[in-house]
């Protein structure tokens, strides 16, 4: 078999010992008789077989001349060191090894029959290109530093991976251009310098088999498992992508198994929460804590004994438990961490503090199912890896803090991503001023010449519904207490009980005839200041205990009143707001992808939203009115979808409520600025304030000359003041009618004047509904109600 078969290389490979034999020719003239005699004997052995000097590619010759090759290489492979050195003679970038030390042979044998030796960090294309760089140095005199470490990964008898670094000795090689080798010019060299990954270009300059490689290389191999394990720990922890991978912890176990030479070793983590004085689980795929077991968190003093607590938290030093079972017997189950390990079947362990100058951040937990495998001696291996683990935990804590800040910003402030760049720019200027010793002032954040859009889906009759729920709760509570006092009068004939019954009846009559805003407060004070104390007195009467217990069991602990119908109402409002806001947020992602704009929403009795669009927000000269028109159409369509979603889920609500939707159109661009005191954007200027006035009052406006509100259930109301807005939205309505979002009953109405605002009009049109997501029929509001109730 020819050694050049099935490989692609710029080299035509030939095994040759010519360069080594030339070295022996020099030694043959040495004044030392022993050295000279040995050299002559080797030269004589080689002279009988000229192919050993001339070179050969037939692999069978290696077997035929095995004895002679061994003689030629005897100085390179000393019999004295053969069981200690890991060494091979081979052809570069080829898995052909024709001489090896006993130590190397033993390592390969232990690895198993199925093991195939290969350089792990040598991509196929790189092999070809590195061979070309050798030619550039060897044949053309260029000084290219192509050296990089190469490794073998070889398992031992326990399946633990060992890492071996390969150092090549290429002193005994020759490289000669063949007839088909293109001459490499300076221009070629300059081009290749910037094209390492362009394999086609390298093959053009160095065609396959265009140079003859004569000789062999000696590989000096060193076990660098500890160094490589430390390096792997570092690279694993540095890469965010690796840490998020579901196989990360499995790989991390393997790294530590190689470092410690223990095949069943496992790694766990727990985080130290200083504020609460607890250890907490680390959340992530495959992450475990052997200290906490199945607990989410545990007090440090409950998880550790006093000695281990002081060792980890105060001294910040690691400790080992080499015999868990023995220690469990010794401590008689009084050491919490020993008990935890014992229950999990762990036999030896190391706990190491992850700490920096600021204090403890967490615990690294290394465990084994075999006693004495982990101990105070091999625990010292952690000294080299702990700095990387500490750095990774520091980075994770910073990432978590940044994530928390991002969530707070998203959920609790009005700094929308579309305008974040302006805040970031001002913050940088603020920092720069402070660094330069200047007075740092956070400048006003304002955006000019932007167009506003406003919409709301409002719960109709919410005040009436809550008042009704309050009346029903108070009536139930008053009647319950009235019955107690009636029964008390039968047991003790005291006029005061009759007086309380009379007062309760008075409150009940007031609730049924003229419920007022302060009725709820008056009745609550009556209970808290008078009745509750009397009821506690009556509890001493055995005949009343059961009735009084039933009464107090009906009282809500948080609000201290009977809270049944009001809870149904409050839960319904909360659920409506949650679902509507969630749908709007999801739809907003699509709108932002169309064109970036500012967006904020508020939960009240329903959901309101503001949007602002314009060039000053996007920071780019890309704004066109088409994006405004698109956003207006999107808004109208989403309002229809929200109406549909609401009525499809209405049956889930404890209280039957209706909604009405409204869109406010403002034709003129305006300016907004961020108000630091209220942490939200507001309009600038007197003229622009008109927009805010309309926003706050328009949903309560009446149609001119009537007592009919402009917003109605089952309809969308579009409020505007300019004729061009009317024409624009009638086009949108016509389009949405074609999509079966809206009905054909379009009406245009005038609104009664609001304070300081006149000339408002509204387009009203009915929404078309589906009974559910699968239903393809279209219903008006009234039809839908009939279908739902049918």
């Amino acid at each position: 078999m020819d050694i050049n078969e099935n490989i692609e290389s710029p080299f035509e490979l030939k095994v040759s010992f010519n360069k080594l034999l030339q070295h022996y020719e020099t030694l043959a003239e040495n004044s030392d008789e022993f050295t000279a005699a040995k050299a002559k004997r080797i030269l004589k052995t080689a002279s009988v077989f000229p192919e050993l000097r001339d070179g050969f590619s037939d692999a069978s010759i290696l077997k035929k001349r095995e004895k002679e090759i061994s003689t030629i290489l005897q100085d390179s492979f000393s019999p004295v060191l053969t069981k200690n050195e890991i060494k091979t003679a081979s052809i570069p970038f080829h898995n052909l090894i024709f001489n090896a030390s006993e130590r190397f042979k033993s390592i390969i044998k232990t690895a198993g029959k199925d093991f195939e030796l290969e350089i792990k960090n040598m991509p196929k294309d790189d092999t070809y290109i590195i061979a070309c760089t050798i030619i550039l140095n060897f044949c053309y005199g260029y000084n290219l530093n192509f050296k990089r470490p190469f490794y073998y990964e070889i398992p031992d008898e326990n399946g633990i991976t060992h890492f071996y670094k390969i150092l090549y000795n290429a002193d005994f090689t020759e490289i000669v251009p063949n007839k088909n080798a293109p001459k490499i010019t300076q221009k070629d060299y300059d081009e290749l310098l910037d094209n390492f990954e362009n394999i086609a270009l390298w093959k053009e300059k160095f065609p396959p088999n265009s140079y003859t490689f004569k000789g062999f290389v000696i590989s000096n191999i060193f076990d660098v498992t500890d160094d490589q394990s430390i390096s792997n720990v570092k690279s694993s922890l540095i890469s965010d992508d690796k840490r998020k991978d579901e196989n990360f912890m499995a790989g991390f176990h393997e790294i530590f198994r190689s470092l410690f030479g223990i095949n069943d070793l496992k790694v766990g983590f727990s985080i130290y929460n200083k504020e609460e004085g607890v250890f907490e689980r680390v959340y992530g795929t495959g992450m475990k804590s052997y200290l906490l077991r199945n607990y989410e968190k545990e007090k440090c003093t409950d998880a550790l004994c006093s000695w281990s607590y002081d060792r980890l938290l105060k001294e910040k030093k690691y400790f080992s438990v080499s015999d868990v079972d023995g220690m469990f017997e010794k401590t008689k189950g009084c050491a919490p961490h020993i008990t935890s390990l014992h229950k999990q079947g762990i036999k030896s362990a190391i706990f190491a503090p992850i700490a920096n100058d600021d204090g403890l951040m967490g615990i690294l937990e290394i465990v084994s199912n075999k006693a004495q495998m982990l101990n105070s001696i091999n625990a010292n291996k952690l000294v080299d890896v702990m700095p990387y683990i500490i750095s990774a935990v520091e980075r994770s804590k910073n990432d978590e803090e940044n994530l928390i800040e991002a969530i707070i910003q998203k959920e609790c402030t009005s700094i929308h991503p579309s305008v974040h760049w302006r805040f970031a720019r001002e913050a940088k200027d603020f920092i720069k001023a402070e660094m330069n010793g200047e007075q740092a002032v956070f400048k006003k954040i304002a955006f000019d010449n932007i167009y506003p859009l406003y919409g709301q889906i409002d719960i109709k009759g919410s005040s009436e519904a809550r008042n009704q729920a309050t009346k029903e709760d108070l009536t139930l509570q008053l009647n319950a207490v009235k019955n107690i006092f009636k029964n008390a009068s039968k047991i003790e004939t005291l006029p005061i009980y009759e007086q309380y019954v009379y007062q309760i009846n008075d409150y009940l009559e007031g609730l049924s005839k003229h419920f007022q805003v302060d009725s709820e407060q008056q009745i609550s004070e009556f209970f808290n200041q008078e009745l509750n104390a009397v009821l506690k007195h009556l509890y001493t009467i055995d005949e009343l205990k059961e009735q009084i217990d039933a009464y107090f069991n009906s009282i809500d602990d948080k609000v201290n009143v009977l809270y049944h119908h009001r809870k149904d109402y409050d839960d319904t409002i909360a659920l409506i707001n949650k679902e509507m806001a969630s749908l709007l947020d999801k739809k907003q992602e699509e709108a932002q992808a169309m064109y970036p704009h500012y967006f904020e929403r508020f939960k009240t009795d329903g959901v309101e939203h503001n949007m602002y669009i314009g060039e000053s927000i996007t920071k780019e000269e890309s704004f066109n009115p088409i994006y405004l028109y698109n956003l207006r159409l999107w808004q109208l369509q989403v309002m229809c979808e929200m109406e549909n979603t609401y009525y499809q889920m209405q049956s889930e609500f404890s209280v039957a409520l209706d909604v009405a939707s409204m869109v406010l159109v403002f034709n003129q661009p305006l300016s907004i600025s961020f108000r630091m005191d209220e942490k939200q954007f507001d309009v600038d200027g007197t003229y622009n304030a008109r927009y805010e006035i309309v926003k706050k009052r328009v949903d309560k406006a009446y149609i001119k000359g009537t007592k009919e509100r402009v917003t109605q259930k089952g309809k969308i109301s579009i409020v505007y003041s300019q004729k061009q807005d009317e024409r624009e939205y009638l086009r949108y309505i016509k389009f949405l009618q074609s999509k079966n979002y809206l009905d054909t009953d379009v009406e245009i109405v005038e609104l009664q004047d609001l304070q300081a605002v006149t000339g408002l009009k509204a387009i009203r049109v009915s929404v078309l509904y589906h009974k559910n997501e699968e239903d393809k029929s279209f219903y008006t509001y009234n039809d839908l109600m009939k279908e739902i109730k049918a």
Side-chain angles (χ1 to χ4, degrees), residues 356-358 361 389-399:
N356 59 11
D357 293 339
D358 296 327
M361 295 181 290
I389 293 173
I390 290 167
S391 295
V393 172
E394 286 176 331
R395 190 151 61 103
S396 286
K397 286 192 74 173
N398 290 334
D399 289 346

Side-chain angles (χ1 to χ4, degrees), residues 470-593:
T470 303
K471 284 167 61 176
E472 290 176 3
D473 278 347
L474 292 175
T475 300
L476 285 173
Q477 188 172 356
L478 287 166
N479 279 322
V481 175
K482 185 171 78 170
N483 289 332
I484 293 172
F485 282 118
K486 280 184 175 181
N487 290 333
S489 296
K490 295 174 184 176
I491 299 168
E492 284 184 301
T493 311
L494 297 179
I496 190 67
Y497 297 153
E498 292 183 25
Q499 193 271 328
Y500 282 134
V501 170
Y502 168 80
Q503 197 166 350
I504 290 169
N505 284 330
D506 190 47
Y507 279 127
L508 286 169
E509 186 177 356
L511 286 176
S512 64
K513 290 184 178 179
H514 43 82
F515 180 80
Q516 296 177 344
V517 177
D518 62 346
S519 297
E520 181 177 5
Q521 183 181 352
Q522 288 177 6
I523 295 172
S524 293
E525 287 178 359
F526 174 57
F527 276 105
N528 294 330
Q529 294 177 11
E530 295 189 47
L531 296 191
N532 287 345
V534 179
L535 290 173
K536 286 180 182 176
H537 164 71
L538 293 175
Y539 195 71
T540 59
I541 301 172
D542 291 340
E543 294 91 332
L544 297 177
K545 279 185 177 181
E546 186 177 343
Q547 194 176 3
I548 295 172
D549 279 336
Y551 166 75
F552 279 111
N553 287 336
S554 71
I555 301 302
D556 188 276
D557 293 334
K558 293 180 181 178
V559 293
N560 204 29
V561 294
L562 193 146
Y563 182 58
H564 176 67
H565 293 95
R566 279 172 290 186
K567 186 176 188 303
D568 286 345
Y569 170 83
D570 290 341
D571 288 349
T572 299
I573 295 293
L575 183 57
I576 292 169
N577 286 347
K578 177 186 173 185
E579 295 297 333
M580 293 297 100
S582 176
L583 174 62
L584 187 57
D585 289 346
K586 188 176 180 181
K587 292 292 180 181
Q588 242 296 298
E589 293 175 11
E590 301 170 7
Q592 289 291 343

